[in-house]
Amino acid sequence: MYARGSGRARRGAAGDRELQLTACSICLRVSEGRDWTAPEELIRRLRTFELTAVPGLATFALCDLCTGGLRWRRRRSDVGMPAEGTPAERRTAIARA
């Protein structure tokens, strides 16, 4: 699955650099190389609210946690979708499997 590359910059119509991000389709965390960050943390750190152009989504992907959750769910038919619960609850459920 494509999931690497935190963000790409491209030129917008006005010449401003526009930030393009990759987000997990299930948990919505944002890719930062090999790490995945909660979107609210990334917004605070990058101060995206101060940018002239709103960051866009370059692509959707699946983070390692959600990929593992999907694989785990496919092996077991008696559990709910991996998107149920918090990431910590999903990690615990996957570790118990």
Side-chain angles (χ1 to χ4, degrees), residues 1 23-29 36 60-63 65-71 73-74 81-85 87 90:
M1 302 255 151
C24 176
S25 297
I26 295 176
C27 70
L28 302 180
R29 292 185 300 159
W36 291 84
F60 279 96
L62 290 178
C63 69
L65 177 62
C66 291
T67 299
L70 284 172
R71 287 183 182 141
R73 185 186 182 285
R74 287 179 180 157
M81 291 298 293
E84 294 175 354
R90 291 195 307 269

Side-chain angles (χ1 to χ4, degrees), residues 19-42:
L19 186 61
Q20 296 290 304
L21 304 170
T22 299
C24 176
S25 297
I26 295 176
C27 70
L28 302 180
R29 292 185 300 159
V30 181
S31 173
E32 291 192 281
R34 293 181 180 245
D35 297 323
W36 291 84
T37 304
E40 59 274 12
E41 291 177 30
L42 191 70

Side-chain angles (χ1 to χ4, degrees), residues 41-85:
E41 291 177 30
L42 191 70
I43 289 168
R44 276 192 297 270
R45 189 165 16 94
L46 296 180
R47 302 177 67 87
T48 59
F49 47 85
E50 294 178 354
L51 299 176
T52 56
V54 176
L57 292 175
T59 185
F60 279 96
L62 290 178
C63 69
D64 296 336
L65 177 62
C66 291
T67 299
L70 284 172
R71 287 183 182 141
W72 174 72
R73 185 186 182 285
R74 287 179 180 157
R75 288 192 305 263
R76 299 180 49 123
S77 61
D78 61 329
V79 295
M81 291 298 293
E84 294 175 354

